[in-house]
Amino acid sequence: MPKRTRSNGMHFDTREIRQEREDGWFAQNEARLIEEARRKRQADEKRRKTAEADARKLAHWRKCPKCGGEMVPETIDEVVVDKCASCGGIYFDRGELEELLLAHDRHRRGFFRKLIGFPD
């Protein structure tokens, strides 16, 4: 902010006043330029991170987490699950296992007992 000087009624620009105005203009202009550069840098960084995330997702999209083979959709009791064409692993999306278990409610107890290792 420019420094005010006392005036005795006569108002004219001295070299000091002009220099203060010029310094103030440069400070404001530089602050604006710095803020614009910061916003541009943040936008570029956000775009770069989004592009990297999309590339990672595309590299692993529909790939088996165990062997990297292609995942193919397979229907089990009207529930579509993902099955690996290479290793045969079956992978469930959220809620798919519950749908299968509810469809076979009477077998559920036996399934979990076998899973844990108890005899029928």
Side-chain angles (χ1 to χ4, degrees):
M1 178 137 190
K3 189 169 115 182
R4 298 276 177 183
T5 57
R6 290 194 163 188
S7 174
N8 61 357
M10 298 178 77
H11 205 273
F12 60 93
D13 285 349
T14 62
R15 184 178 189 291
E16 183 180 306
I17 292 173
R18 286 192 308 269
Q19 184 68 43
E20 286 177 5
R21 264 192 275 168
E22 185 177 325
D23 290 345
W25 181 88
F26 276 110
Q28 285 179 338
N29 199 33
E30 286 176 351
R32 183 183 52 80
L33 291 173
I34 289 170
E35 182 63 25
E36 287 174 1
R38 185 185 62 78
R39 282 192 204 123
K40 183 180 182 296
R41 186 177 59 249
Q42 287 175 340
D44 290 345
E45 182 70 17
K46 186 177 180 181
R47 273 194 297 276
R48 185 185 62 77
K49 285 182 179 181
T50 302
E52 287 175 0
D54 289 345
R56 277 194 309 272
K57 181 180 179 181
L58 190 58
H60 297 286
W61 185 250
R62 308 278 304 155
K63 303 286 184 191
C64 176
K66 182 177 179 184
C67 69
E70 291 294 319
M71 300 293 283
V72 293
E74 185 171 303
T75 304
I76 302 174
D77 292 334
E78 300 179 16
V79 177
V80 179
V81 297
D82 299 318
K83 183 175 182 180
C84 178
S86 299
C87 69
I90 296 177
Y91 298 93
F92 297 96
D93 291 334
R94 181 173 297 185
E96 291 176 344
L97 179 60
E98 289 82 4
E99 285 182 50
L100 283 174
L101 292 174
L102 288 175
H104 295 281
D105 194 31
R106 63 186 173 90
H107 299 292
R108 188 168 60 197
R109 184 167 186 252
F111 170 77
F112 282 115
R113 288 181 64 81
K114 285 180 187 173
L115 186 65
I116 296 173
F118 291 115
D120 287 335

